[in-house]
Structure formats: structure tokens, C-alpha cells
Amino acid sequence: AQTVTQSQPEMSVQEAETVTLSCTYDTSESDYYLFWYKQPPSRQMILVIRQEAYKQQNATENRFSVNFQKAAKSFSLKISDSQLGDAAMYFCALQGGSEKLVFGKGTKLTVNP
Amino acid sequence: DTGVSQDPRHKITKRGQNVTFRCDPISEHNRLYWYRQTLGQGPEFLTYFQNEAQLEKSRLLSDRFSAERPKGSFSTLEIQRTEQGDSAMYLCASSSYAGTGDYTDTQYFGPGTRLTVL
């Protein structure tokens, strides 16, 4: 069975500062994909960033970057220059061996002005 | 290009009633997924379609649940004899699979249907 664990139920950050959200996963698949999704309050889930497991290079999307440690099965998300609009639930998800996404329980990020 | 849409956005029903939700995927997306999200949890996979074929179902999808995608476009999810434990957000997602055998498709989510069973 595949599992995704997000050990931080809540995190907070000051506007313009940097925050890192943690995610660990477990899978027996050799080929898989990892994702971070953002779910703002009462709004739909949107993709933040994705990482292919076979790629060594960490994915980056503007202020969002990941630290992918394959051996440790760790996939953390770093948000730089945090903005008020970054406040949301963040979900880490794994896709491998199947089309379904397996999600963690989420981390609620609060951005303080 | 419109996103994934779901209807209704909210549904309140009494225990024992049947409910049906609709999902319209992004046009030309050939894959469509259903997930369920309960309070404080991440989404859990229910089922997915490639075109009109239902290719995978979760054990969460009991006999009271049925999903269809008759023409490979929109999909419906029906819950019969609803129970209070069915109260949740039901999310639909779609993706475009190129058929290369590589998992390169990203799933795009709709706003969800929030079901409350009284």
C-alpha cells in the first residue's frame, strides 16, 4: 500500500518570509510522481508543483520549490517570499502504479501580515 | 478554456434518500476521477474513467455507490440509501492521457459537491 504522511497539521509564516512544509511517503513502485496541491478556503484544489521520481533535479515554479530526497522518501515544499494569498491547505500527493492520487492529511498554512 | 465543473455545489438530504452528482470535465480530457474528502482529511480515491470505461474502483465505493460516464464526457455519481457517514465533499478531477504509457497527466480538480446527510 502507498502512504503519504504530512506531520505538520498547521504552520504559520510571516508575509515575505520563507516556510517549508514536510511530506514523507512510502511506495514500492520504481516509477512514480509527487505533487503538491493547494486548497484555499472554500475554493477548488489547484496544482502547485509536480516532481517525477526519475528526475534528479528538484522542481521549481516561481516562488515554490521542492526538496526531493528519493532515498529518504521525503518531498518537502518551500514557499519563498510568502504572500497572503498563499494561505490555504496544502496537500502532498503520490501517484504510482495506478492512476489514483494518494493524498496526505494536509497542512494548514497561515500567512501573517 | 473552462475548468472542471460540478453540480450541485451543495446538497442536503435525509438519510435513506438517493442523491446524484454531476461532473463536467475539461473539454477533451479523456480521464475523469472521483474522490471523497471528509473534514480534516485529504481526498480519497473512489473511481476513475478513461473515456466511457470505468477502469478502477476503490473498496470505498460500496454497492450503494455507482458512477457512470456514458458518452465519455460528463460523469454522474449516485449514492443510494444515503447514510450519515456519506457526508463529505465529493471531488471530481479530469486529465488528458496521451496513451504513451507514461504517467504524465496532471489531474485538475473541480470545486466539489458538499453532501450533508441529516
Side-chain angles (χ1 to χ4, degrees), chain B residues 29-60:
Chain B
H29 273 191
N30 54 0
R31 284 185 170 170
L32 187 148
Y33 310 78
W34 285 99
Y35 292 83
R36 182 174 70 185
Q37 185 177 20
T38 53
L39 204 60
Q41 304 292 319
E44 297 173 290
F45 171 79
L46 292 177
T47 188
Y48 95 94
F49 294 83
Q50 182 163 309
N51 299 313
E52 65 275 7
Q54 188 173 18
L55 297 186
E56 187 176 352
K57 294 197 298 185
S58 163
R59 286 173 296 179
L60 292 175

Side-chain angles (χ1 to χ4, degrees), chain A residues 31-33 35 37 39 42-47 50 52 54 89 91 95-106, chain B residues 3-4 9 31 33 35 37 40-45 48 56 89 91 97 102-112:
Chain A
D31 291 330
Y32 54 91
Y33 293 78
F35 304 83
Y37 279 89
Q39 189 176 40
S42 302
R43 295 182 61 186
Q44 65 200 77
M45 196 168 307
I46 59 174
L47 178 69
R50 59 178 277 164
E52 291 84 353
Y54 62 84
M89 285 292 292
F91 292 97
Q95 182 185 47
S98 166
E99 302 314 309
K100 67 181 180 184
L101 290 169
V102 176
F103 287 86
K105 290 187 176 182
Chain B
V4 178
R9 296 289 306 277
R31 284 185 170 170
Y33 310 78
Y35 292 83
Q37 185 177 20
Q41 304 292 319
E44 297 173 290
F45 171 79
Y48 95 94
E56 187 176 352
M89 177 76 84
L91 298 171
Y97 175 58
D102 190 11
Y103 298 122
T104 57
D105 53 335
T106 293
Q107 296 180 28
Y108 296 89
F109 284 81

Side-chain angles (χ1 to χ4, degrees), chain A residues 38 63-64 79-88 90 109 111:
Chain A
K38 168 185 176 182
R63 298 183 295 107
F64 299 88
I79 306 173
S80 304
D81 185 26
S82 297
Q83 300 175 0
L84 295 177
D86 294 334
Y90 285 81
L109 178 66
V111 181

